[in-house]
Amino acid sequence: MRITTIGATATAVAVLASPITSTPTPASAPAVPAASVVSKPAKAASVHGEAHISYIESVHDDIRFTIHAEQTPFTRPMPPTAPEGLSTDARGTLKFSHSRGEVTGWAEATVDCLVTSGRTATLTAVVTKSNVEEPGARLGISVQQGGKGEPDRLGFSWGVVNVDPENVDENGQLVRPQAGSCMAPAPFTTVIKGGYKVIHAEITKSPTQPEPAPHHS
């Protein structure tokens, strides 16, 4: 931001009861299945919420992030390396605004990657509209849902992180490198209003990866 520098699978078991009759069932009658198993789709990793954060470099500024992201494995083909896409492919939206006095920087971006672990998630999104970021820039965001009375936290791939000392412009000013997919720093800011809900799910195995060979003792 330039204002400052501005699977688990759930299974349901349905019991199929035989109709009650007044006469015994003949011995030759085919058996009626006692139960059948119906599998529900595996849950998807996701992050949803809106929050106002406190950032140590801009403690008096109004900084807000809105995130709606859901993992959609193997939906973004990347031939020839990953023709099916990646297990961390995702969809959704990221919006942020950073106000200082009467000046506000903002951006809207499309989520392209999401990975979770417990109450923590990292995601990236590609800018579509902004007055402070270039369209096509990828932004990295981390979210930690608080527990046991702790506040939620958020990190972002600009400001005090993602600096390459060798990467400078013609005036010698540092140029911020673009974040790679799902790359984000630890959540280093604190949510002071609002919050996020993180749903964790294990990543899905790539369909092109071979199954491990059976182990024989």
Side-chain angles (χ1 to χ4, degrees):
M1 191 181 316
R2 300 193 187 114
I3 290 184
T4 53
T5 44
I6 338 205
T9 300
T11 303
V13 179
V15 177
L16 307 180
S18 301
I20 298 176
T21 62
S22 58
T23 58
T25 303
S28 59
V32 177
S36 64
V37 177
V38 179
S39 294
K40 293 181 180 179
K43 68 180 179 181
S46 64
V47 182
H48 294 281
E50 179 178 3
H52 179 185
I53 67 166
S54 176
Y55 176 39
I56 191 64
E57 296 292 341
S58 309
V59 292
H60 301 297
D61 296 356
D62 186 320
I63 308 174
R64 302 169 187 263
F65 286 83
T66 300
I67 302 169
H68 295 290
E70 181 173 306
Q71 200 175 79
T72 55
F74 311 111
T75 56
R76 296 178 177 273
M78 294 191 300
T81 306
E84 298 89 1
L86 301 174
S87 59
T88 52
D89 289 344
R91 65 185 176 191
T93 57
L94 164 71
K95 296 180 181 180
F96 76 75
S97 65
H98 182 162
S99 299
R100 175 179 294 169
E102 297 181 356
V103 180
T104 297
W106 59 271
E108 297 180 6
T110 300
V111 173
D112 65 350
C113 189
L114 170 66
V115 65
T116 61
S117 177
R119 298 193 307 271
T120 302
T122 62
L123 62 102
T124 45
V126 178
V127 174
T128 55
K129 295 186 291 185
S130 178
N131 67 345
V132 290
E133 297 286 352
E134 294 293 330
R138 180 179 287 107
L139 309 177
I141 303 293
S142 62
V143 173
Q144 179 177 291
Q145 182 181 333
K148 297 182 179 179
E150 296 177 345
D152 292 358
R153 301 182 65 84
L154 183 142
F156 49 90
S157 61
W158 58 92
V160 297
V161 296
N162 199 24
V163 175
D164 179 1
E166 308 266 332
N167 192 2
V168 296
D169 62 18
E170 61 274 10
N171 298 316
Q173 299 297 313
L174 286 171
V175 175
R176 188 181 79 222
Q178 178 166 283
S181 62
C182 275
M183 295 292 100
F188 55 83
T189 73
T190 304
V191 168
I192 55 179
K193 185 177 181 180
Y196 302 99
K197 175 67 173 178
V198 176
I199 300 296
H200 169 64
E202 296 295 330
I203 60 174
T204 306
K205 178 183 174 298
S206 171
T208 60
Q209 292 297 319
E211 293 291 343
H215 177 72
H216 298 286
S217 57

